[in-house]
Amino acid sequence: MRIPAIPARIFKSVRFLFVMTILLGIVYPAVVTGIAQLIFPDKANGSLIVLDGKVRGSSLLAQRFDSPQFFHPRPSATDYTYIGAGASNQGPISAALVKTVEDRQVTWERSYGSLAPEEMLYASGSGLDPDISVDAALAQVNTVAKARGLSDYSRRALVAAINEQARASKGLIGVVRINVMKLNTLLETDPEYRGTVTRQ
Amino acid sequence: MNSSDIAQLAIVGISACILAPFLGSYMERVYAGKPHPLAFLGRFERFIYKVTGIDPHEQMNWKQYTVSLLEFSFISIAVLFLILVGQGFLPFNPQKYPGLAWDLALNTAISFVTNTNWQAYSGEASLSYLAQAAGLAVQNFLSAAAGMAVAVAIVRGIARGTDSREGLGNFWADMTRSVLYILLPLSLILAIALVSQGVVQSISGYVPTLSFEGKNGLIPLGPAASQIAIKHLGTNGGGFFGPNSAFPFENPTPLSNILEMLAQILIPFAFPFLFGAMVKDKKQGYMLFMVMFVLLSIAVWGSLTSELRWGTLEGKEYRFGKAGSALFSVLTTITSCGAVNAMHDSLSPLSGMIAMFDIMIGEVIFGGVGSGLYGMLALVIVAVFIAGLMVGRSPEYLGKKIEAREMQLSMIAIIIPNFLILVLSAVAISLSAGRAGIANSGPHGLSEILYAYSSGAGNNGSAFGGLAANSVFYNLTVGLAMLLGRFGVMVPMLGVGGSLAAKKRVPQGSGTLRTNTLTFGVFLFFVIIIVAGLTHFPALTLGPILEHFLMLQGVKL
Amino acid sequence: MSTSDKSKKKGYSFTKDMLFSALGSAFRKLDPRIEAKNPVMFIVWVGTVLCTVISVVGIIQGTNASSWSFELQIIIWLWFTLIFANFAESAAEVQGKARANSLRAMRDTVVARKIGANGTIVKIPSSKLRKGDNVVCEAGDIIPGDGEVVEGVASVDESAITGESAPVIREAGGDRSGVTGGTRVLSDRIVIRITADPGAGFVDKMIAMVENATRQKTPSEIALSILLSSLSIIFLLAVTTLYPFSSFIAAESKAPNILSIIELTSLLVCLIPTTIGSLQSAIGISGVSRLMQKNVMALSGRAIEAAGDIDTLLLDKTGTITYGNRRAVEIIPVSGIDERELAAAALGASLADETPEGKSIVYFIRENYDDIQIDNQGIFVPFSASTRMSGIDRVGADGAADPLRSVRKGAFSAVQEYVLSLGGNLPKDVDGICERIAIKGGTPLVVSVGVHILGVIHLKDVVKEGIKERFARLRAMGIKTVMITGDNRLTAQAIAAESGVSDFIPEAKPETKLDAIRKAQTEGHLVGMIGDGTNDAPALAQADLGIAMASGTQTAREAGNMVDFDNDPTKVIDVVEVGKQLLITRGSLTTFSIANDVAKYFAILPAVFSGFYAGKSALSGPLEALNIMHLATSHSAILSAVIFNALIIIALVPLALRGVKYSPSHGATGILRRNLLLYGLGGIIAPFVGIKLIDMLLVAIGFA
């Protein structure tokens, strides 16, 4: 069978695509990766939280916390899964959303005995939002301290640490916020907050 | 709005307005082949021409230009389709993901080649690094470059002098220059800046973790920053990760959020200035910019007002807040970028409607890179025609007569996206295959479908994400919308460029309609609003507007 | 000319007969084959027929018992919409025809003296003349048609045709026998054989033009049709897709889908640009008839549009910028002669001179030397082509002419010959005076008494009164005026400065005009020119707007694309204005039509959708909030919008026929601003007011 000659123009398109793929699909990401790994190795590799040589998560990605010994992040519509994370995509007048929010309010009140800050009632967009408001963090302090058996001094130090993080997050732009993952890492690494808890 | 919201708005707006004129005049030099700061890359440019057999000085007429564009685009779709279907057999696939189903692969291939980046898949859950970097990211560059090249070619046609023997330029040279001197350098800078904020850039496999509470997990990584940079700069919008710019690895801080917003409006902001420089009448560029900017400001104001008053944090990231999310939702929809940092499905009804209307209006409020300019020019021609009649001259734009052919082609470019949005939405809502994808009941369900086809036909790519779009029905119909929404505008507008190029330039006199004046700008503004508004207001009435009034009555569905 | 004054007074008029004729035609145009020519109105026609059939079937089957009166009213108004639209076109056609007829009547009144079979002279209208007829013309007569001199010799003023201000001699036999209709015999008597059926061809063409105007679309009309059709397609899409959308919402809200075909059709008819769609051809036809009102006939609709576009206008100096005939401006005595003596002689020599030059001399002397006695004793010697002099012979005591006292005036060479023949001699300076006058572009006329030359009369081209203002107006319109003249540069410059023309081309040869037009066109200009002579024909054909004088040669008239029956070169301003008005009216009504839609949405959409999510107790649902006009009921709202849509067509017919006002004083941007406020903003506001008023009226009379 005779293979028909490829028209020169089509061949030109293919050649152009090929050259561009080498440049943009291989050289460009390789250069960016090289520079990134050289200058910001920690960030380029996912801002990982490594405790005792083990990767316990990323400070940018929330994870599921059920225990009162930890600060809890915002609700996740996809149960804090890393892969396939997402949102509820419920519309603004969704009755199901109203029901979920009411349930979350009840749960929060049961745990922390107050009205929940707004972000703790609504699921985040990524399902992995690591940030909460200062109010939401402070509301959880007593419960965490109690579960960890912290002294009153340590509890106050924890409040101070939260306020310090809040101050640090404040700038010209951006919301004042507390990173739950960093706060919980602090709980696990600083003996001050270790309390009576043993790390898993 | 608190002070940080205002600061964020001001930083994005002011820096874009300052940078755009410089970028615009730089781009003019690049496309005209004049000396410019990055000209030292010329050796590399010539090398590309040499190995690909391109003669950059070969002038193309509008038909040759169109044929090159279409051939290259369809070959790109075919190659990308093959990569996506065959990724299981290809390297750089640490998670051993299998190939995509044919309909999803076709949809995705069309999506990236048409600069839409509609994503019926979730990147980190289904694509190999090779498919992302060598498949999708490459098309992020090339589809953006194609849009820019086409816009430049059309403007050359308008600006061309009477006795010039030039054509509309050379497609391959315009593509190469767009990539080499504009998109690539900016992407490189932005990618590194994003990594500094925490965006990942790695080629090692996903990282196994043990959570604080002892559960096993797998943290996705990948060459994200390099792809995210062009995703914004090229107004593509396709996320490396499923939740797009809401995902902390894709958009980790308020500063990265600002950088991404700035990146997606930067080149579209520069295009009106490029236009002014090319037609040698800077005021023409300012006028187009002002019309676009006023439309943008109204959209931002409306969206912020609605979101701050009626919005919740559902589907939003705490670090961006309501204002940062609403602003992003407007900037991503006016520019046909389509990246999202909050779920549009959960926006307040009017903010969701503004996002949708930004797309429905056509790529005119800055629009995609390049596509925003020629999208706008279609409406400018309509406005020039009516206004030209109103001053008592048979209408002309920049000295070229606007006659039946230009009117016909411009109206085709305007009708096609509107036809796709309305007819495909009507088909989807009438068929059970279409209704099956709806996630929310009541008017919001209609909004999800309207948004999907608006996003496809408008080459935006964002979504009311609740819609289950990965079905054969949606993959094919949205694929059709993207394909026709792209080339159904590009080709007729190239025709307009070709037709105007062949026309004699009529000298300006005191009886000539001035198209660089405030009066004309105001008229153009109303033509855009009224044409788009009249077309889509009925459907929007039954979607977000009905939902808004239901919300005010306290109704929950 | 008096006719243009008359036409101004005539204005926009409509008699009862015309009204009935237009109405009848409006009904005949409901024929779908005719409606299909206008895509916008054809959509209305299809919708109306569909609604009528559905409603009638409903009434017969009794399925629309609750809504039949509403349906019937909607259907009636939809039919009215169609008839009103047709009426607009018919009215324009009827008016155009009336104009053509009146123009024909005007041509009838030119009187020709035809030589009958037995040699008697019969006075008949020139339009009754046929090829081969012989007519007599004497000094002062206008030649009634193109023809050939068969008897006699005469001086003829052809300045209107050739651009030459000097009279030309036309005589039987030889190659100077051709005369052109509209030229004036200045002296003597000739017999002319008519060589063309005059006028008839043009009047026929005119009537055809009116009747065919609907079928000849100009480029911008075609582009506008594409725009209107495209908008109609968009609205068709928006309205038809609304049905599945509302079905879905109806199902979701557990309400019946209240959207009926009648309501959808009403919405569609209100949204598509019916206003401009129905008035479009009326605007085009009225442009033709408005030109006719000004005694200008356009040979194509395209020419009228080109008239609005021209930015360069080529004008002959003579007859256009200056009076075709030269006028006395100065008398210069030779040395040793008193100025008053010369004045008295010049007056005497001109008293019997009926030529415009002669009259201008009398006028000049009487104005400037009012104490000079008129001495008209003697025998008048009229100007004749053979002597090229005129004057008066003083009579001596014997009653015979006394050559030594006879007064003569004429060309230098003729008077010189005459004086020398009487044995006189020439003053030294007369030659120099004549030369100086000639250099300034004037014409010297030498005056003699007996054997003495007393001095020279300076005849000069005089710029027409008001021409400066007209050029200023043209400049404001964005039109550059270029004067073409055979004069030398200095003279041309002087006249250019005096008349306010933008530019001039001196020392022009016949082919200069064509070259000038070609040059301007390659620079992208659209050029208009006015011409009449045969040598103007190529230039008239080349120009984008070529206005031929009806008095011009047949060749010229055929080369141009417009003919001016008043032979008034400044008429071009009116022509340009009509051309511009035509475009402005189209643009403004398009804007108005589209702007109207905003209010119609706020009338109809809440009306058809208010049932959704209405709940059990409430009568209307959340979308009632969009009923910002507070229209009474959903039926009254829809009906009001449809009625407004129909009535606005009728209301705008006079505007379409008269044209939107054009005032160039504010430049293009100023005109745009004015029309946007009037027709754009007005177009948004007017229907809000109109629909609300109709709604209140409907409620008051219990129709809804």
Side-chain angles (χ1 to χ4, degrees), chain B residues 162 382 385-387 389-395 401-404 407-408 411 414-415 418-419 422-423 425-426 429-430 435 438 441-443 445-446 450 504-507 510-514 517 519-520 523 530-531 533-535 537-539 541-542 545-546 549-550 553 557, chain C residues 219-220 222-224 226-227 230-231 233-235 237-238 241-242 244-246 248-249 252 305 308-309 311 475-478 521 523-526 580 583-584 586-588 590-591 594 597-598 601-602 605 609 612-613 622-623 625-626 662 667-669 671-673 675-676 684:
Chain B
T162 309
V382 173
F385 181 77
I386 301 173
L389 289 182
M390 270 198 284
V391 303
R393 284 272 287 234
S394 64
K401 284 266 177 247
I402 302 300
E403 286 165 309
M407 182 53 62
Q408 201 168 21
M411 286 316 293
I414 292 169
I415 289 177
N418 288 322
F419 174 87
L422 290 169
V423 172
S425 297
I429 204 109
S430 307
R435 287 195 300 267
I438 293 173
S441 61
L446 175 62
L450 276 174
K504 253 193 330 199
R505 185 171 297 284
V506 183
S510 68
T512 313
L513 169 74
R514 307 275 158 170
T517 58
T519 307
F520 182 75
F523 180 62
I530 288 189
V531 167
L534 292 179
T535 311
F537 187 65
T541 306
L542 291 177
I545 295 175
L546 178 55
F549 288 117
L550 285 170
Q553 293 186 348
L557 297 173
Chain C
S220 81
I222 294 168
L224 181 59
I226 291 169
L227 175 67
S230 303
L231 287 173
I233 291 171
I234 290 177
F235 291 128
L237 287 173
T241 54
L242 201 52
F245 296 155
S246 73
F248 172 79
I249 297 295
E252 291 279 306
E305 213 169 276
D309 270 356
D311 57 2
R475 205 171 10 256
M477 287 172 169
Q521 282 174 335
E523 286 163 7
H525 293 282
L526 282 157
K580 284 190 181 292
L583 297 175
I584 293 175
R586 284 202 194 108
S588 299
T590 303
T591 306
I594 298 168
D597 285 0
V598 176
Y601 265 138
F602 283 98
L605 290 184
F609 293 148
F612 294 142
Y613 295 100
L623 286 178
L626 292 179
Y662 170 71
T669 303
I671 298 170
L672 180 62
R673 199 178 303 131
N675 289 332
L676 278 183
I684 291 177

Side-chain angles (χ1 to χ4, degrees), chain C residues 116-134:
Chain C
N118 50 6
T120 54
I121 289 174
V122 197
K123 288 190 179 184
I124 62 160
S126 59
S127 64
K128 295 269 167 64
L129 286 175
R130 288 297 170 266
K131 212 166 158 179
D133 287 348
N134 285 337

